[in-house]
Each structure stands twice: as structure tokens, then as C-alpha cells.
Amino acid sequence: MGILYALLIGALAGWLAGKIMKGGGFGTLVNIILGIVGGAVGNWLFGILGIHISSGILGDLITGVIGALVILFIASLFKK
């Protein structure tokens, strides 16, 4: 059940990050995939920095969106 939860939060985070990014990112499907990866990156990054936003779904979503934004930004550098 934990994997399904992570995939759903990551997918929502990727979609939101695509809406936030200028130009819409890479399209809905790729944004969702990058959001799933971004969720893991966000958790890793915040763990290293010692940052804890909140617990529960909202905290996981915020962490995932920030991670997805980082991944989308890095991917956009290679897109050009």
C-alpha cells in the first residue's frame, strides 16, 4: 500500500509541478513520471538538509512538488 500511496502523491506532485513551471514542463505524462521521481528526490533532499515541512498527505505533497520542480528544472536545462 505504501508504494501505491507514493505513486499517487508523486503523480499529483508532477502534475502540479507541470502547472507551476513556465511552459508547462514536458507534457502531462512525462510531468507525472518526473513527479514520481521528484517525490523521492524531495524526500532525499529534505532529509539531507534536515527540513521537515509537515506530516501527512499535505506534507508529502509539498515535498513531492518541490522535488518535482527541481527535477523538471534540471530536465529543462537538457531540453534546450
Side-chain angles (χ1 to χ4, degrees):
M1 194 65 173
I3 298 286
L4 181 60
Y5 174 77
L7 289 173
L8 290 173
I9 293 294
L12 184 58
W15 178 78
L16 286 171
K19 295 296 180 187
I20 293 170
M21 286 289 290
K22 183 178 180 182
F26 292 90
T28 305
L29 183 61
V30 175
N31 287 347
I32 289 172
I33 293 168
L34 291 176
I36 293 168
V37 174
V41 168
N43 283 325
W44 172 78
L45 184 63
F46 284 175
I48 286 180
L49 297 175
I51 298 172
H52 181 72
I53 294 179
S54 177
S55 61
I57 294 174
L58 185 61
D60 291 341
L61 185 59
I62 291 170
T63 301
V65 168
I66 292 171
L69 286 171
V70 169
I71 294 294
L72 282 172
F73 174 75
I74 291 171
S76 72
L77 293 176
F78 291 106
K79 184 179 178 181
K80 295 177 182 179

Coordinates of all heavy atoms in Angstrom, one line a residue:
M1 N 0.8 -1.2 0.0 CA 0.0 0.0 0.0 C 0.9 1.3 0.0 O 0.5 2.3 -0.5 CB -0.9 0.0 1.2 CG -2.0 0.9 1.2 SD -3.1 0.5 -0.2 CE -4.4 1.7 0.1
G2 N 2.0 1.2 0.6 CA 2.9 2.3 0.6 C 3.4 2.7 -0.7 O 3.6 3.9 -1.0
I3 N 3.7 1.8 -1.6 CA 4.1 2.1 -3.0 C 3.0 2.8 -3.7 O 3.3 3.7 -4.4 CB 4.5 0.8 -3.7 CG1 5.7 0.1 -3.0 CG2 4.9 1.0 -5.1 CD1 7.0 0.8 -3.2
L4 N 1.8 2.3 -3.6 CA 0.7 2.9 -4.3 C 0.5 4.4 -3.8 O 0.3 5.3 -4.6 CB -0.6 2.1 -4.1 CG -1.9 2.6 -4.8 CD1 -1.7 2.7 -6.3 CD2 -3.0 1.8 -4.4
Y5 N 0.6 4.6 -2.5 CA 0.5 5.9 -2.0 C 1.6 6.8 -2.5 O 1.3 8.0 -3.0 CB 0.6 5.8 -0.4 CG 0.6 7.2 0.3 CD1 -0.5 7.9 0.4 CD2 1.8 7.7 0.7 CE1 -0.5 9.1 1.1 CE2 1.9 8.9 1.4 CZ 0.7 9.6 1.6 OH 0.8 10.9 2.2
A6 N 2.8 6.3 -2.6 CA 3.9 7.1 -3.1 C 3.7 7.5 -4.6 O 4.0 8.6 -5.0 CB 5.2 6.4 -2.9
L7 N 3.2 6.5 -5.3 CA 3.0 6.7 -6.8 C 1.9 7.8 -7.0 O 2.0 8.6 -7.9 CB 2.6 5.4 -7.5 CG 3.7 4.4 -7.6 CD1 3.2 3.1 -8.2 CD2 4.8 5.0 -8.5
L8 N 0.8 7.7 -6.2 CA -0.3 8.6 -6.3 C 0.1 10.1 -5.9 O -0.2 11.0 -6.7 CB -1.5 8.2 -5.5 CG -2.2 7.0 -6.0 CD1 -3.3 6.5 -5.0 CD2 -2.9 7.2 -7.4
I9 N 0.8 10.2 -4.8 CA 1.3 11.5 -4.4 C 2.3 12.0 -5.4 O 2.3 13.2 -5.8 CB 1.9 11.4 -3.0 CG1 0.9 11.1 -2.0 CG2 2.7 12.7 -2.6 CD1 -0.2 12.2 -1.8
G10 N 3.2 11.2 -5.9 CA 4.2 11.6 -6.9 C 3.5 12.1 -8.2 O 4.0 13.0 -8.8
A11 N 2.5 11.3 -8.6 CA 1.8 11.7 -9.8 C 1.1 13.0 -9.7 O 1.2 13.9 -10.6 CB 0.8 10.6 -10.2
L12 N 0.5 13.2 -8.6 CA -0.2 14.5 -8.3 C 0.8 15.6 -8.2 O 0.6 16.7 -8.7 CB -1.0 14.4 -7.0 CG -1.9 15.7 -6.7 CD1 -2.8 16.0 -7.8 CD2 -2.6 15.4 -5.4
A13 N 2.0 15.4 -7.6 CA 3.0 16.4 -7.4 C 3.6 16.7 -8.8 O 3.9 17.9 -9.1 CB 4.1 15.8 -6.5
G14 N 3.8 15.7 -9.7 CA 4.3 16.0 -11.0 C 3.3 16.8 -11.8 O 3.7 17.7 -12.6
W15 N 2.0 16.5 -11.7 CA 1.0 17.3 -12.4 C 1.0 18.8 -11.9 O 1.0 19.7 -12.8 CB -0.3 16.7 -12.2 CG -1.4 17.4 -12.9 CD1 -1.7 17.4 -14.2 CD2 -2.4 18.3 -12.3 NE1 -2.8 18.2 -14.5 CE2 -3.2 18.8 -13.3 CE3 -2.6 18.7 -11.0 CZ2 -4.2 19.7 -13.1 CZ3 -3.6 19.6 -10.7 CH2 -4.4 20.1 -11.8
L16 N 1.1 18.9 -10.6 CA 1.1 20.3 -10.1 C 2.4 21.0 -10.5 O 2.3 22.2 -10.8 CB 1.0 20.3 -8.5 CG -0.4 19.9 -8.0 CD1 -0.3 19.7 -6.5 CD2 -1.4 21.0 -8.3
A17 N 3.5 20.4 -10.4 CA 4.8 21.0 -10.8 C 4.7 21.4 -12.3 O 5.2 22.5 -12.7 CB 5.9 20.0 -10.6
G18 N 4.1 20.6 -13.1 CA 4.0 21.0 -14.6 C 3.1 22.2 -14.7 O 3.4 23.0 -15.6
K19 N 2.1 22.4 -13.9 CA 1.3 23.6 -13.9 C 2.0 24.8 -13.4 O 1.8 25.9 -13.9 CB 0.0 23.4 -13.1 CG -0.9 22.3 -13.6 CD -1.5 22.7 -15.0 CE -2.4 21.6 -15.5 NZ -2.8 21.8 -16.9
I20 N 2.9 24.6 -12.5 CA 3.7 25.7 -11.9 C 4.8 26.1 -12.8 O 5.1 27.3 -13.0 CB 4.3 25.3 -10.5 CG1 3.1 25.1 -9.5 CG2 5.2 26.4 -10.0 CD1 3.5 24.5 -8.2
M21 N 5.5 25.2 -13.5 CA 6.6 25.5 -14.3 C 6.1 26.3 -15.5 O 5.1 26.1 -16.1 CB 7.2 24.2 -14.9 CG 8.1 23.5 -13.9 SD 9.6 24.3 -13.5 CE 10.5 24.1 -15.0
K22 N 7.0 27.3 -15.9 CA 6.7 28.1 -17.1 C 6.8 27.2 -18.3 O 7.8 26.5 -18.5 CB 7.7 29.3 -17.1 CG 7.5 30.2 -18.3 CD 8.6 31.3 -18.2 CE 8.3 32.2 -19.4 NZ 9.4 33.3 -19.4
G23 N 5.8 27.3 -19.1 CA 5.8 26.5 -20.3 C 5.2 25.1 -20.1 O 5.1 24.3 -21.1
G24 N 4.7 24.8 -18.9 CA 4.0 23.5 -18.7 C 4.9 22.3 -18.6 O 4.4 21.2 -18.6
G25 N 6.2 22.4 -18.6 CA 7.1 21.3 -18.4 C 7.2 20.5 -19.7 O 7.4 21.0 -20.8
F26 N 7.0 19.2 -19.6 CA 7.2 18.3 -20.8 C 5.9 17.6 -21.2 O 6.0 16.6 -22.0 CB 8.2 17.2 -20.4 CG 9.6 17.7 -20.2 CD1 10.0 18.2 -18.9 CD2 10.5 17.8 -21.2 CE1 11.2 18.7 -18.7 CE2 11.7 18.3 -21.0 CZ 12.1 18.8 -19.8
G27 N 4.8 18.0 -20.8 CA 3.5 17.3 -21.1 C 3.1 16.5 -19.9 O 3.9 16.2 -19.0
T28 N 1.8 16.2 -19.8 CA 1.2 15.7 -18.6 C 1.9 14.3 -18.2 O 2.2 14.1 -17.0 CB -0.3 15.5 -18.8 OG1 -0.9 16.7 -19.2 CG2 -0.9 15.0 -17.5
L29 N 2.0 13.4 -19.1 CA 2.5 12.1 -18.8 C 4.0 12.1 -18.3 O 4.3 11.5 -17.2 CB 2.4 11.1 -20.0 CG 2.9 9.7 -19.7 CD1 2.0 9.1 -18.6 CD2 2.8 8.9 -21.0
V30 N 4.8 12.9 -18.9 CA 6.2 13.0 -18.5 C 6.3 13.7 -17.2 O 7.1 13.4 -16.3 CB 7.1 13.6 -19.6 CG1 8.5 13.8 -19.1 CG2 7.0 12.8 -20.9
N31 N 5.5 14.8 -17.0 CA 5.5 15.5 -15.8 C 5.1 14.6 -14.6 O 5.6 14.7 -13.5 CB 4.5 16.7 -15.8 CG 5.0 17.8 -16.7 OD1 6.2 17.9 -17.0 ND2 4.1 18.7 -17.0
I32 N 4.1 13.7 -14.8 CA 3.7 12.8 -13.8 C 4.8 11.8 -13.4 O 5.1 11.5 -12.3 CB 2.4 12.0 -14.2 CG1 1.2 13.0 -14.2 CG2 2.2 10.8 -13.3 CD1 -0.1 12.4 -14.7
I33 N 5.5 11.3 -14.5 CA 6.6 10.4 -14.2 C 7.8 11.1 -13.5 O 8.3 10.6 -12.5 CB 7.1 9.8 -15.6 CG1 6.1 8.9 -16.1 CG2 8.5 9.1 -15.4 CD1 6.3 8.4 -17.6
L34 N 8.1 12.3 -13.9 CA 9.1 13.1 -13.2 C 8.7 13.5 -11.8 O 9.5 13.7 -10.9 CB 9.4 14.4 -14.1 CG 10.2 14.1 -15.4 CD1 10.4 15.4 -16.1 CD2 11.5 13.4 -15.1
G35 N 7.4 13.6 -11.6 CA 6.8 13.9 -10.3 C 7.1 12.7 -9.3 O 7.4 12.9 -8.2
I36 N 6.9 11.5 -9.8 CA 7.1 10.3 -9.0 C 8.6 10.3 -8.6 O 8.9 10.1 -7.5 CB 6.7 9.1 -9.8 CG1 5.2 9.1 -10.0 CG2 7.2 7.8 -9.1 CD1 4.7 8.1 -10.9
V37 N 9.5 10.5 -9.6 CA 10.9 10.6 -9.3 C 11.2 11.8 -8.4 O 12.0 11.7 -7.4 CB 11.7 10.7 -10.6 CG1 13.2 10.9 -10.3 CG2 11.5 9.5 -11.4
G38 N 10.5 12.9 -8.6 CA 10.7 14.1 -7.8 C 10.3 13.9 -6.4 O 10.9 14.5 -5.5
G39 N 9.3 13.1 -6.1 CA 8.9 12.8 -4.7 C 10.0 12.2 -4.0 O 10.3 12.5 -2.8
A40 N 10.7 11.2 -4.6 CA 11.8 10.6 -4.0 C 13.0 11.6 -3.8 O 13.6 11.6 -2.7 CB 12.3 9.4 -4.8
V41 N 13.2 12.4 -4.8 CA 14.3 13.4 -4.7 C 14.0 14.4 -3.6 O 14.9 14.8 -2.8 CB 14.5 14.1 -6.1 CG1 15.4 15.3 -5.9 CG2 15.1 13.1 -7.1
G42 N 12.8 14.8 -3.5 CA 12.4 15.8 -2.5 C 12.6 15.2 -1.1 O 13.1 15.9 -0.2
N43 N 12.2 14.0 -0.9 CA 12.4 13.3 0.4 C 13.8 13.2 0.8 O 14.3 13.4 1.9 CB 11.7 11.9 0.5 CG 10.2 12.0 0.7 OD1 9.7 12.9 1.3 ND2 9.5 11.1 0.0
W44 N 14.6 12.8 -0.2 CA 16.1 12.7 0.0 C 16.7 14.0 0.3 O 17.5 14.2 1.2 CB 16.7 12.1 -1.3 CG 18.2 12.1 -1.3 CD1 19.0 11.2 -0.6 CD2 19.1 13.0 -1.9 NE1 20.3 11.5 -0.8 CE2 20.4 12.6 -1.6 CE3 18.8 14.0 -2.8 CZ2 21.5 13.3 -2.2 CZ3 19.9 14.7 -3.3 CH2 21.2 14.3 -3.0
L45 N 16.4 15.1 -0.5 CA 16.9 16.4 -0.4 C 16.6 17.0 1.0 O 17.4 17.5 1.7 CB 16.4 17.3 -1.5 CG 17.0 18.7 -1.6 CD1 18.5 18.7 -1.8 CD2 16.3 19.5 -2.7
F46 N 15.3 16.9 1.4 CA 14.9 17.4 2.7 C 15.5 16.7 3.8 O 15.8 17.2 4.9 CB 13.4 17.5 2.8 CG 12.7 18.6 2.0 CD1 11.4 18.7 1.9 CD2 13.5 19.5 1.3 CE1 10.7 19.7 1.2 CE2 12.9 20.5 0.6 CZ 11.5 20.6 0.5
G47 N 15.7 15.4 3.6 CA 16.4 14.6 4.7 C 17.8 15.0 4.9 O 18.2 15.1 6.0
I48 N 18.5 15.3 3.8 CA 19.9 15.7 3.9 C 20.0 17.1 4.6 O 20.8 17.4 5.4 CB 20.6 15.7 2.5 CG1 20.9 14.3 2.1 CG2 21.8 16.6 2.5 CD1 21.5 14.2 0.8
L49 N 19.0 18.0 4.2 CA 19.0 19.4 4.7 C 18.4 19.4 6.1 O 18.5 20.5 6.8 CB 18.3 20.3 3.8 CG 18.9 20.4 2.4 CD1 18.0 21.3 1.5 CD2 20.2 21.1 2.4
G50 N 17.8 18.4 6.6 CA 17.2 18.4 7.9 C 15.9 19.2 8.0 O 15.5 19.6 9.0
I51 N 15.2 19.3 6.8 CA 14.0 20.1 6.8 C 12.8 19.1 6.9 O 12.8 18.1 6.2 CB 13.9 20.8 5.4 CG1 15.0 21.8 5.3 CG2 12.6 21.6 5.3 CD1 15.2 22.5 4.0
H52 N 11.9 19.5 7.7 CA 10.6 18.7 7.8 C 9.5 19.6 7.7 O 9.3 20.5 8.6 CB 10.6 18.0 9.2 CG 9.3 17.1 9.4 ND1 9.1 15.9 8.7 CD2 8.2 17.3 10.1 CE1 8.0 15.4 9.0 NE2 7.4 16.3 9.9
I53 N 8.7 19.6 6.6 CA 7.6 20.5 6.3 C 6.4 20.2 7.2 O 6.0 21.1 7.9 CB 7.3 20.5 4.8 CG1 8.4 21.1 4.0 CG2 6.0 21.3 4.6 CD1 8.2 21.1 2.6
S54 N 5.9 19.1 7.0 CA 4.7 18.7 7.8 C 4.5 17.2 7.6 O 5.1 16.6 6.8 CB 3.5 19.4 7.1 OG 2.3 19.1 7.8
S55 N 3.6 16.7 8.4 CA 3.3 15.2 8.3 C 2.0 15.0 7.6 O 1.2 16.0 7.4 CB 3.3 14.6 9.6 OG 2.3 15.1 10.4
G56 N 1.8 13.9 7.1 CA 0.5 13.6 6.4 C 0.6 13.8 4.9 O 1.6 14.0 4.3
I57 N -0.6 13.8 4.3 CA -0.7 13.9 2.9 C -0.2 15.3 2.4 O 0.5 15.4 1.4 CB -2.1 13.7 2.4 CG1 -2.5 12.2 2.7 CG2 -2.3 14.0 0.9 CD1 -4.0 11.9 2.4
L58 N -0.6 16.4 3.1 CA -0.2 17.7 2.6 C 1.3 17.9 2.7 O 1.9 18.4 1.7 CB -0.9 18.8 3.5 CG -0.6 20.2 3.1 CD1 -1.2 20.4 1.7 CD2 -1.3 21.1 4.1
G59 N 2.0 17.4 3.7 CA 3.4 17.5 3.8 C 4.1 16.7 2.7 O 5.1 17.1 2.1
D60 N 3.6 15.5 2.4 CA 4.1 14.6 1.4 C 3.9 15.3 0.0 O 4.8 15.2 -0.8 CB 3.5 13.3 1.4 CG 3.9 12.4 2.6 OD1 4.9 12.8 3.2 OD2 3.1 11.5 2.9
L61 N 2.8 15.9 -0.2 CA 2.5 16.6 -1.5 C 3.4 17.8 -1.7 O 4.0 17.9 -2.8 CB 1.0 17.0 -1.5 CG 0.6 17.6 -2.9 CD1 0.8 16.6 -4.0 CD2 -0.9 18.0 -2.8
I62 N 3.6 18.6 -0.7 CA 4.5 19.7 -0.8 C 5.9 19.3 -1.1 O 6.6 19.9 -1.9 CB 4.4 20.6 0.5 CG1 3.1 21.3 0.6 CG2 5.5 21.7 0.5 CD1 2.8 21.9 1.9
T63 N 6.4 18.3 -0.3 CA 7.7 17.8 -0.6 C 7.9 17.2 -2.0 O 8.8 17.5 -2.7 CB 8.0 16.6 0.4 OG1 7.9 17.2 1.8 CG2 9.4 16.1 0.2
G64 N 6.9 16.5 -2.5 CA 6.9 15.9 -3.8 C 6.9 17.0 -4.9 O 7.6 16.9 -5.9
V65 N 6.1 18.1 -4.7 CA 6.0 19.2 -5.6 C 7.4 19.9 -5.7 O 7.9 20.2 -6.8 CB 4.9 20.2 -5.3 CG1 5.0 21.4 -6.1 CG2 3.5 19.5 -5.5
I66 N 8.0 20.1 -4.6 CA 9.3 20.8 -4.6 C 10.3 19.9 -5.3 O 11.1 20.4 -6.1 CB 9.7 21.2 -3.2 CG1 8.8 22.3 -2.6 CG2 11.2 21.6 -3.1 CD1 8.9 22.6 -1.2
G67 N 10.3 18.6 -5.0 CA 11.2 17.7 -5.6 C 11.0 17.6 -7.1 O 11.9 17.6 -7.9
A68 N 9.7 17.6 -7.5 CA 9.3 17.5 -8.9 C 9.8 18.8 -9.7 O 10.2 18.8 -10.8 CB 7.8 17.3 -9.1
L69 N 9.6 20.0 -9.0 CA 10.1 21.2 -9.6 C 11.6 21.2 -9.8 O 12.1 21.7 -10.9 CB 9.7 22.4 -8.7 CG 8.2 22.8 -8.7 CD1 7.9 23.8 -7.6 CD2 7.8 23.3 -10.1
V70 N 12.3 20.6 -8.9 CA 13.8 20.5 -9.0 C 14.1 19.6 -10.2 O 14.9 20.0 -11.1 CB 14.4 20.0 -7.7 CG1 15.9 19.6 -8.0 CG2 14.3 21.0 -6.6
I71 N 13.4 18.5 -10.3 CA 13.7 17.6 -11.4 C 13.3 18.2 -12.8 O 14.0 18.1 -13.7 CB 12.9 16.2 -11.2 CG1 13.5 15.5 -10.0 CG2 12.9 15.4 -12.4 CD1 14.9 15.0 -10.2
L72 N 12.1 18.9 -12.8 CA 11.7 19.5 -14.0 C 12.6 20.6 -14.4 O 12.9 20.8 -15.6 CB 10.3 20.1 -13.9 CG 9.1 19.0 -14.0 CD1 7.8 19.7 -13.6 CD2 9.1 18.4 -15.3
F73 N 13.1 21.4 -13.5 CA 14.1 22.4 -13.8 C 15.4 21.8 -14.4 O 15.9 22.3 -15.4 CB 14.4 23.2 -12.6 CG 15.5 24.3 -12.8 CD1 15.2 25.4 -13.5 CD2 16.8 24.0 -12.3 CE1 16.2 26.3 -13.7 CE2 17.8 25.0 -12.5 CZ 17.5 26.1 -13.3
I74 N 15.9 20.8 -13.8 CA 17.1 20.1 -14.3 C 16.9 19.5 -15.7 O 17.7 19.7 -16.6 CB 17.6 19.1 -13.3 CG1 18.1 19.8 -12.0 CG2 18.7 18.2 -13.9 CD1 18.5 18.8 -10.9
A75 N 15.7 18.9 -15.8 CA 15.4 18.3 -17.1 C 15.2 19.4 -18.2 O 15.6 19.2 -19.4 CB 14.1 17.5 -17.0
S76 N 14.7 20.5 -17.8 CA 14.5 21.6 -18.8 C 15.9 22.2 -19.3 O 16.0 22.7 -20.4 CB 13.6 22.7 -18.2 OG 14.3 23.5 -17.2
L77 N 16.9 22.1 -18.4 CA 18.2 22.5 -18.9 C 18.8 21.6 -20.0 O 19.5 22.1 -20.9 CB 19.2 22.5 -17.7 CG 18.9 23.5 -16.5 CD1 19.9 23.2 -15.4 CD2 19.0 24.9 -17.0
F78 N 18.4 20.4 -20.0 CA 18.9 19.4 -21.0 C 17.9 19.5 -22.2 O 18.4 19.1 -23.3 CB 18.9 18.0 -20.5 CG 20.0 17.8 -19.5 CD1 19.6 17.6 -18.1 CD2 21.3 17.7 -19.8 CE1 20.6 17.4 -17.2 CE2 22.3 17.5 -18.9 CZ 21.9 17.4 -17.6
K79 N 16.7 20.0 -22.1 CA 15.8 20.1 -23.2 C 16.2 21.1 -24.2 O 16.0 21.0 -25.4 CB 14.4 20.4 -22.6 CG 13.3 20.5 -23.7 CD 12.0 20.8 -23.0 CE 10.9 20.9 -24.0 NZ 9.6 21.3 -23.4
K80 N 16.8 22.2 -23.7 CA 17.3 23.3 -24.6 C 18.4 22.8 -25.4 O 18.8 22.8 -26.4 CB 17.7 24.5 -23.8 CG 16.5 25.1 -23.1 CD 17.0 26.3 -22.2 CE 15.8 26.8 -21.5 NZ 16.1 27.9 -20.6

